[in-house]
Amino acid sequence: MKEISLCVMTRELCHELYKGWENDPDIYMNMNLFTTYKYDENTVNKYFESKQNPSRILFAIMKDGKPIGELHLKQIDRENKECTMSIHMHNDTGKGRISVFKRRKGI
């Protein structure tokens, strides 16, 4: 099995991830809202900057040293030790193959 890991998302990893990003038409109930994703350096920079705040942590999901997705911890409530988590995968290549992350201390 190939190595899957998490690391804190950097601007460089964010660009690497989104250079190969594909929107998934299967998640759109209204196909009129679907658009093909096109990489844009300025858009990715703005996206990365928008995620830099104390109420969130953005991780890169790594496989064999390359980013294949992102994991967001958001709406972090440190007092109550709660947050919301979301996972977005790069494209369909990991669908049905990556299902469990081992829990690590400090994450």
Side-chain angles (χ1 to χ4, degrees), residues 42-91:
N42 290 329
T43 301
V44 174
N45 280 330
K46 287 178 186 173
Y47 172 78
F48 180 79
E49 288 300 323
S50 74
K51 305 304 177 196
Q52 306 306 305
N53 70 62
S55 69
R56 15 174 105 237
I57 303 172
L58 180 59
F59 294 97
I61 302 169
M62 306 293 288
K63 181 178 178 185
D64 301 327
K66 296 183 180 189
I68 61 166
E70 59 187 7
L71 183 145
H72 295 249
L73 297 180
K74 51 193 176 183
Q75 301 169 342
I76 297 172
D77 179 344
R78 296 182 195 285
E79 186 176 314
N80 292 310
K81 299 182 180 179
E82 297 176 341
C83 69
T84 301
M85 182 181 79
S86 62
I87 299 173
H88 308 111
M89 299 304 292
H90 180 262
N91 58 34

Side-chain angles (χ1 to χ4, degrees), residues 27-42:
I27 66 169
Y28 289 84
M29 292 183 71
N30 180 350
M31 285 305 291
N32 293 323
L33 299 175
F34 176 78
T35 58
T36 302
Y37 174 78
K38 184 177 179 205
Y39 172 77
D40 178 74
E41 183 177 3
N42 290 329

Side-chain angles (χ1 to χ4, degrees), residues 10-19 39 41 44-45:
T10 64
R11 185 181 304 274
E12 292 77 22
L13 286 173
C14 194
H15 280 279
E16 188 177 342
L17 175 65
Y18 279 96
K19 282 180 181 173
Y39 172 77
E41 183 177 3
V44 174
N45 280 330

